[in-house]
Amino acid sequence: MKEFEIGVVGAGYVGLATGASLAYLGNRVTLMDKDAQRIAALKRGELPIFEPGLGEVLAKCSKRLNFTVDLDPVVQAAEVLFVAVGTPMAEDGSVDLSDISEVARGIGRTLSGRDRPLVVVNKSTVPVGSGDYISMLIQEGTEESGGGEANFQVVSNPEFLREGSALYDSLYPDRIVIGADSRQAIEVMRELYRPVVEQSFATELDPRPKNAVPLLVTDLASAEMIKYASNAFLATKISFINEIANICELTGADARSVAQGIGLDARIGSRFLNAGIGWGGSCFPKDVAALRAISAEYGYEAIMLPAVAEVNERQHKRVIEKLQQELHTLRGKRVALLGLSFKPNTDDLREAPSLKIASKLDGCGARVVGYDPVAGKAAGRAVPELVIVHDPYEAIEGAHAAVLITEWQELKEIDLKRAGSLMQEPRLLVDGRNVYDPRKVRDSGMLYRGFGRE
Ligand SMILES: NC(=O)c1ccc[n+]([C@@H]2O[C@H](COP(=O)([O-])OP(=O)(O)OC[C@H]3O[C@@H](n4cnc5c(N)ncnc54)[C@H](O)[C@@H]3O)[C@@H](O)[C@H]2O)c1
């Protein structure tokens, strides 16, 4: 099996998981980031993000891993260069491509002094057409530096990993998508991903290799669209079940049973049908907004996408409504938020529902206390009115109500009797993820409010 010389630009959630998994498979990897503090931490063996299992793999592969803030030597050395920088949402909902544009020009400048071919693999989520745009910027960068025709190919390789299981998802993905026009570049990508496709390795994460992983080759535009369409579909699935749950509440049906019943249909599938306070995070909100903005650019008015986002916004508000129904005025009431990261097993707070809910509660005059196993400190910085404590029971103590925002395992397993005894009337537990047994909550002396399961 060939060992590649890999460069990865952007050492965030995606770049780190990509670099670690490729080093684990025997390649030499240099991770580059413009954030000097981040690179210094990685050089010291410290992980700048919370991601289970990642630190161990980085340590294990340390001989095949390097970290730097300099782009030039990485581009010079690499056979394959992954780009995994952020593509955040601009104010109008479109995609801010400034980081990726800066990287593309930088690659171009270095390529002016290099003859060997380079495969530039874009892992960042970018609007359709960005592959060609990146190619153009690279070529411009080369020409600005006095070079002629740069020897490179751009490939789109969208990333589908989930934070919290990023490494596992990189080694055991559901599928790999390669979008490219160049047959040569496609062959390089096939060779690079051969162990992942064939699952011809065993890891501590999953000792038993699985079936071959599908590798789908498409044109550039389709690969770029697959990423947006995937995230928009997943967000739609959650918003759909939340809408159904809201109707269930009014009609007396149980949303969990309904989800089970519809999920057994193989055409629908049971995953992503859990009603609750809705989605957040670094991907769904920006990607749904971006797809809407992209379609508008082409003169197409998306109908479903804004509705999917609106249902989600409404779910955040429903938390406040559920609290008001039992507590009436929220002024002066103590409300505990349990779990603050946008999902369990990550420290990521980007577009986390907890922050919006905390701000809304503060706006209503409530005293808001929050607990999270890893994201507490950063959440406190993001919403200064949110008082952060270091233990879930400390958050609950004296609270009129507690809201489960993020279903960390330790919060799912909370001692309900102890929680009930620590709270003050009306001892309301809003189960934002429908994880508790309503009967057990009531037996513990608390009022229970879930989503679609009154
Ligand atoms: N986080 C996820 O779960 C996930 C999943 C799939 C796809 N994606 C996509 O992958 C991309 C990266 O996401 P992320 O969550 O890893 O972002 P991130 O913010 O965690 O990491 C991005 C990194 O890029 C670095 N960077 C920015 N500009 C740079 C430059 N000019 N040169 C070098 N480094 C630079 C930043 O310092 C940062 O460390 C985004 O497009 C995102 O939509 C993310």
Side-chain angles (χ1 to χ4, degrees):
M1 196 177 67
K2 179 173 159 44
E3 288 171 17
F4 285 86
E5 189 70 47
I6 308 276
V8 180
V9 185
Y13 291 90
V14 171
L16 282 169
T18 302
S21 58
L22 290 172
Y24 188 88
L25 296 174
N27 302 288
R28 286 178 306 279
V29 178
T30 304
L31 277 146
M32 181 268 161
D33 202 291
K34 69 174 181 182
D35 182 339
Q37 275 186 352
R38 178 164 286 236
I39 291 299
L42 286 163
K43 281 185 173 169
R44 289 194 300 271
E46 292 164 18
L47 205 55
I49 56 170
F50 177 86
E51 183 57 49
L54 190 56
E56 288 84 336
V57 171
L58 289 177
K60 195 171 179 172
C61 303
S62 59
K63 286 203 174 70
R64 288 193 295 279
L65 276 164
N66 282 305
F67 305 101
T68 180
V69 288
D70 296 324
L71 181 63
D72 287 14
V74 182
V75 177
Q76 282 294 357
E79 296 168 87
V80 181
L81 184 72
F82 283 87
V83 180
V85 299
T87 47
M89 181 162 37
E91 275 195 5
D92 62 355
S94 66
V95 187
D96 178 349
L97 290 174
S98 49
D99 284 344
I100 209 162
S101 304
E102 185 188 328
V103 172
R105 285 200 188 89
I107 295 170
R109 281 194 293 275
T110 306
L111 280 184
S112 66
R114 167 185 159 139
D115 297 328
R116 285 179 304 127
L118 175 68
V119 179
V120 178
V121 185
N122 183 35
K123 270 214 169 287
S124 299
T125 304
V126 288
V128 180
S130 297
D132 293 337
Y133 178 61
I134 291 167
S135 289
M136 190 192 83
L137 293 178
I138 293 176
Q139 184 55 43
E140 273 179 17
T142 302
E143 285 165 14
E144 276 162 26
S145 307
E149 185 89 2
N151 192 359
F152 72 98
Q153 300 294 341
V154 171
V155 169
S156 168
N157 173 213
E159 181 54 64
F160 303 103
L161 65 77
R162 299 159 298 172
E163 285 174 24
S165 55
L167 198 63
Y168 183 90
D169 293 344
S170 298
L171 290 166
Y172 303 101
D174 287 343
R175 81 296 209 187
I176 296 166
V177 174
I178 306 289
D181 302 329
S182 147
R183 213 178 316 155
Q184 220 179 341
I186 292 167
E187 282 320 306
V188 170
M189 295 307 289
R190 276 195 198 282
E191 184 60 28
L192 178 63
Y193 277 127
R194 194 144 60 95
V196 179
V197 167
E198 294 175 358
Q199 294 291 299
S200 56
F201 57 92
T203 66
E204 293 87 346
L205 295 169
D206 193 343
R208 192 51 249 135
K210 299 195 179 55
N211 295 333
V213 171
L215 185 146
L216 177 68
V217 175
T218 69
D219 57 277
L220 266 167
S222 304
E224 289 164 346
M225 184 55 112
I226 285 168
K227 176 62 195 174
Y228 281 113
S230 299
N231 273 358
F233 188 80
L234 292 170
T236 302
K237 227 176 155 183
I238 300 174
S239 283
F240 177 80
I241 197 64
N242 279 333
E243 186 128 286
I244 295 294
N246 293 339
I247 303 169
C248 283
E249 275 181 26
L250 297 169
T251 54
D254 182 280
R256 289 212 344 163
S257 304
V258 173
Q260 201 182 0
I262 62 175
L264 285 168
D265 185 327
R267 292 170 301 177
I268 296 172
S270 59
R271 295 172 71 187
F272 265 63
L273 283 181
N274 193 27
I277 61 174
W279 39 270
S282 63
C283 290
F284 287 2
K286 85 172 170 60
D287 292 351
V288 170
L291 189 51
R292 184 183 180 190
I294 293 163
S295 61
E297 231 176 84
Y298 287 85
Y300 178 79
E301 191 194 345
I303 295 169
M304 284 175 68
L305 297 171
V308 165
E310 204 180 316
V311 170
N312 197 54
E313 280 298 314
R314 203 193 279 173
Q315 290 310 105
H316 303 340
K317 289 187 199 127
R318 288 193 57 77
V319 173
I320 312 291
E321 285 164 15
K322 282 176 193 288
L323 289 167
Q324 283 169 332
Q325 271 161 20
E326 300 303 331
L327 271 55
H328 308 296
T329 176
L330 296 177
R331 191 156 298 282
K333 302 281 166 58
R334 180 176 162 115
V335 180
L337 301 185
L338 304 177
L340 303 167
S341 56
F342 89 90
K343 62 185 274 195
N345 300 321
T346 182
D347 56 350
D348 201 343
L349 281 162
R350 288 177 282 185
E351 300 287 328
S354 64
L355 303 183
K356 288 186 193 165
I357 291 167
S359 297
K360 280 199 181 104
L361 286 171
D362 176 66
C364 295
R367 290 177 292 136
V368 199
V369 186
Y371 165 77
D372 188 279
V374 299
K377 235 189 200 171
R381 281 196 300 270
V383 182
E385 298 77 20
L386 175 62
V387 177
I388 300 297
V389 294
H390 304 290
D391 179 271
Y393 301 102
E394 202 183 330
I396 290 166
E397 191 165 10
H400 298 85
V403 185
L404 178 79
I405 303 270
T406 312
E407 67 279 34
W408 286 87
Q409 195 58 33
E410 72 164 274
L411 296 173
K412 280 160 79 172
E413 289 169 359
I414 208 161
D415 180 341
L416 291 170
K417 286 239 165 2
R418 188 174 163 200
S421 71
L422 287 171
M423 289 173 84
Q424 60 173 308
E425 290 293 334
R427 300 176 203 277
L428 170 65
L429 179 60
V430 177
D431 181 0
R433 301 293 172 184
N434 278 355
V435 296
Y436 299 119
D437 179 342
R439 222 169 340 151
K440 284 192 185 147
V441 174
R442 288 185 188 117
D443 289 350
S444 306
M446 291 180 277
L447 283 174
Y448 178 87
R449 290 290 174 268
F451 283 74
R453 56 187 313 215
E454 294 307 295

